[in-house]
Amino acid sequence: MNTRISEKTSVISWQSGPSTAPLPPLAAGLPVLGNVIELADDVLRFLTKQYYKLGPIFRIRALNETYTVIAGRDANLFFAREGSKHFRSKEFWQGMDDELGAEVSLISSDGELHTRLRLLQKRGFGKAVIETQLPTVAELATKAVTQWPVGESRPVLSFIQDLVTEQLGAIIIGQGPGEYVADIRTFIRTALLVRVTRQRPGFLLYTPAYRRAKARSLELGRKIVEKHRRNPPIDRPTNLVDDALAAVAQGDLIKDTDLISLALGPYIAGLDTASNTIAFLLYALYKHPEVRKLVQAEAEALFADGIPTPEQLNRADVLHRTVLETLRRYPIAPAVQRTVTQPFEFAGYRVDAGQRIFIGTTVAHFLPNLHPDPYRFDIDRYLPPRNEHRTPGAFAPFSLGAHTCLGAGLAEIQIMLTVAALIHAGQFEIDPPDYQLKIRAVPNPAPNNNFRIRRVG
Ligand code: HEM
């Protein structure tokens, strides 16, 4: 099948099946290292630069591996429509399953198995889970501020990570990581860097610090599962772990050994995603006082009569547009990686089966024909008639296709409510006032630890 796309951008064709077209152009790189340094430094900047130089498909090298990259709006449309036919997640994510002792997981599965696992976890990660527990989310944020002495300055990211994992744990599986939070952080970060993105050497998995963090994290996972076994959902709502236990009892989808990974899932899913986005959003507020003023006013209105209702949050237009613009301008998942299962031709170049591929899903966020003046933080992009996020393929912070973030709806509400609760409960100043954003690139982009705020009221 030959598909042509003609909306708004150039016309790009793709075609399934083996092809005799040439291989995509190879990005210039260093001898031996290839593009390792640029990839480790800032994947998004590197992919966007190559897109402008080489077009929507090219190859990059990292040491002795070559990857194909497709990027831009048409790549996003191809990925969303044809991804399941051509790509597999397994190889990229499987190392994480191994570290967690699981045989299968949602993110590393494909096809029919993936569809069934997604259905199993849909309720547990659903929007209703947060909408019915807004007081828990808001109160944890408010408590974190009340425990922060006035005058003290703190690194934003780790403060937010602690809060976000506590919130997600409380609402999705009935408990936050509590005293295990540092272990979860070390375990997840190291496992992702070594086993998934492969940006750090394997020996890190043998260090005492990692082994201890892993053992403690798995211990927490076991405790969560046992607690659910002992207390079935008779006088409380059924949650993600209950659904998983029921599936184990049925016996044909997941096994006992997959439960720990499932129970730790909410922490893993939020640690480097919702947290990083909140940290970027706070940075944007302090750099754009005009937006901050509007968001502050909306936060005060939201909390004027106590904790906001889901309907009130739905109407919080400025906050919502600020979240959308943060997700566009500071995407925390700039690209996704897959293995090619079926060959195809894209924009006149061939991609063979077996290749590792990057889909640069958020390169489209920085194309001026889709988002004029793309590096400017501008929350009015989402107002009619601009509606820049509505052009298919132009906005993909949560990825696209079969593995699109299952927690996207929940995450948006969590981010909005947490930011509103924090700035309602306390007054903060960026520290130092002339701080310039430096992005920590791995495992996902986030403001680095020099981004601090001081509580001043
Ligand atoms: C700003 C916040 C977030 C962003 C930008 C984000 C982004 C993503 C992306 C890009 C993927 C796809 C990864 C891939 O295909 O390789 C993904 C998958 C997923 N996310 Fe999120 N995420 C966020 C927050 C969350 C939260 C808070 C949860 C749940 C608590 C969550 C749950 C999931 C799950 C379960 C998947 C796997 C879906 C599947 O494989 O079918 N995410 N997320």
Side-chain angles (χ1 to χ4, degrees):
M1 183 188 66
N2 193 353
T3 312
R4 297 183 85 77
I5 312 165
S6 57
E7 301 152 75
K8 236 180 182 176
T9 50
S10 60
V11 178
I12 286 186
S13 64
W14 66 63
Q15 188 170 306
S16 290
S19 153
T20 53
L23 286 171
L26 190 63
L30 296 171
V32 186
L33 287 179
N35 309 109
V36 162
I37 295 170
E38 295 136 302
L39 280 169
D41 186 37
D42 188 338
V43 181
L44 180 58
R45 191 172 54 200
F46 173 61
L47 298 185
T48 308
K49 200 168 123 197
Q50 298 308 320
Y51 175 93
Y52 277 113
K53 247 168 121 173
L54 303 170
I57 177 164
F58 49 90
R59 287 176 301 144
I60 56 176
R61 277 188 313 115
L63 299 170
N64 50 2
E65 295 212 46
T66 305
Y67 300 82
T68 301
V69 179
I70 58 170
R73 174 166 177 264
D74 299 323
N76 283 353
L77 295 178
F78 173 70
F79 181 49
R81 293 176 193 168
E82 309 281 323
S84 305
K85 205 159 84 190
H86 293 282
F87 303 132
R88 191 167 58 209
S89 267
K90 184 137 194 93
E91 286 81 356
F92 182 63
W93 283 106
Q94 189 166 17
M96 200 68 201
D97 294 355
D98 296 344
E99 286 307 292
L100 285 157
E103 245 171 70
V104 295
S105 76
L106 179 61
I107 199 137
S108 72
S109 60
D110 299 280
E112 163 77 15
L113 174 63
H114 174 256
T115 308
R116 291 185 65 202
L117 286 169
R118 196 157 163 117
L119 199 64
L120 171 67
Q121 297 180 42
K122 199 170 168 205
R123 168 168 63 176
F125 284 120
K127 211 168 151 181
V129 169
I130 190 161
E131 284 184 338
T132 51
Q133 301 183 78
L134 295 180
T136 306
V137 176
E139 278 156 17
L140 282 168
T142 307
K143 191 171 128 202
V145 174
T146 4
Q147 291 174 344
W148 182 332
V150 174
E152 194 178 296
S153 157
R154 291 184 176 174
V156 177
L157 185 65
S158 52
F159 168 75
I160 299 290
Q161 281 183 322
D162 290 2
L163 172 59
V164 158
T165 45
E166 212 50 42
Q167 290 171 324
L168 289 173
I171 63 170
I172 300 176
I173 49 170
Q175 74 176 80
E179 59 174 25
Y180 288 86
V181 70
D183 304 297
I184 294 278
R185 211 199 313 258
T186 306
F187 173 47
I188 302 305
R189 180 182 159 78
T190 314
L192 278 173
L193 284 171
V194 176
R195 299 299 308 265
V196 179
T197 61
R198 300 197 270 173
Q199 287 161 308
R200 291 288 183 275
F203 77 83
L204 289 178
L205 301 184
Y206 301 96
T207 59
Y210 175 74
R211 288 163 82 111
R212 181 183 145 79
K214 176 174 166 176
R216 294 250 310 157
S217 301
L218 299 182
E219 174 185 296
L220 173 62
R222 254 189 311 276
K223 281 187 179 170
I224 296 168
V225 174
E226 280 320 309
K227 193 168 149 194
H228 282 76
R229 269 198 230 277
R230 281 197 311 274
N231 307 293
I234 296 164
D235 51 5
R236 61 173 177 84
T238 307
N239 71 19
L240 184 74
V241 178
D242 302 313
D243 287 339
L245 281 167
V248 170
Q250 261 186 350
D252 66 336
L253 184 58
I254 54 170
K255 298 191 189 138
D256 251 336
T257 43
D258 301 316
L259 286 171
I260 290 181
S261 130
L262 240 140
L264 296 177
Y267 309 143
I268 302 175
L271 192 66
D272 294 303
T273 59
S275 314
N276 301 13
T277 303
I278 293 175
F280 276 126
L281 195 156
L282 292 174
Y283 170 79
L285 290 189
Y286 288 96
K287 281 291 155 183
H288 303 279
E290 69 296 349
V291 180
R292 183 173 157 196
K293 230 167 117 183
L294 296 173
V295 170
Q296 185 78 48
E298 201 168 73
E300 299 312 335
L302 276 175
F303 280 89
D305 299 318
I307 306 239
T309 62
E311 295 71 33
Q312 285 172 316
L313 268 181
N314 265 333
R315 288 194 298 270
D317 168 59
V318 175
L319 206 43
H320 186 232
R321 285 189 282 124
T322 307
V323 173
L324 293 181
E325 182 61 344
T326 306
L327 290 166
R328 182 198 70 83
R329 177 63 185 82
Y330 302 109
I332 60 83
V336 297
Q337 290 189 53
R338 298 285 187 267
T339 306
V340 179
T341 51
Q342 295 288 334
F344 62 97
E345 198 180 303
F346 185 83
Y349 295 101
R350 76 169 201 269
V351 181
D352 299 329
Q355 283 271 306
R356 294 283 287 253
I357 187 162
F358 276 74
I359 299 100
T361 37
T362 65
V363 168
H365 293 190
F366 298 91
L367 303 181
N369 58 336
L370 302 171
H371 303 286
D373 200 357
Y375 290 91
R376 186 162 162 243
F377 192 87
D378 176 6
I379 65 169
D380 292 347
R381 299 177 189 280
Y382 310 99
L383 288 175
R386 290 174 69 181
N387 286 325
E388 291 174 18
H389 57 313
R390 298 250 160 86
T391 301
F395 182 75
F398 294 107
S399 189
L400 296 151
H403 287 275
T404 303
C405 179
L406 188 56
L410 185 155
E412 275 192 19
I413 298 177
Q414 181 188 24
I415 297 166
M416 286 172 67
L417 182 57
T418 303
V419 168
L422 291 175
I423 62 174
H424 166 73
Q427 288 168 302
F428 300 93
E429 270 174 14
I430 196 163
D431 175 36
D434 59 352
Y435 170 77
Q436 290 302 321
L437 181 65
K438 280 253 164 35
I439 294 182
R440 173 210 84 175
V442 293
N444 296 64
N448 73 1
N449 270 344
N450 296 339
F451 174 42
R452 305 172 67 94
I453 53 178
R454 184 186 307 283
R455 181 165 178 215
V456 291

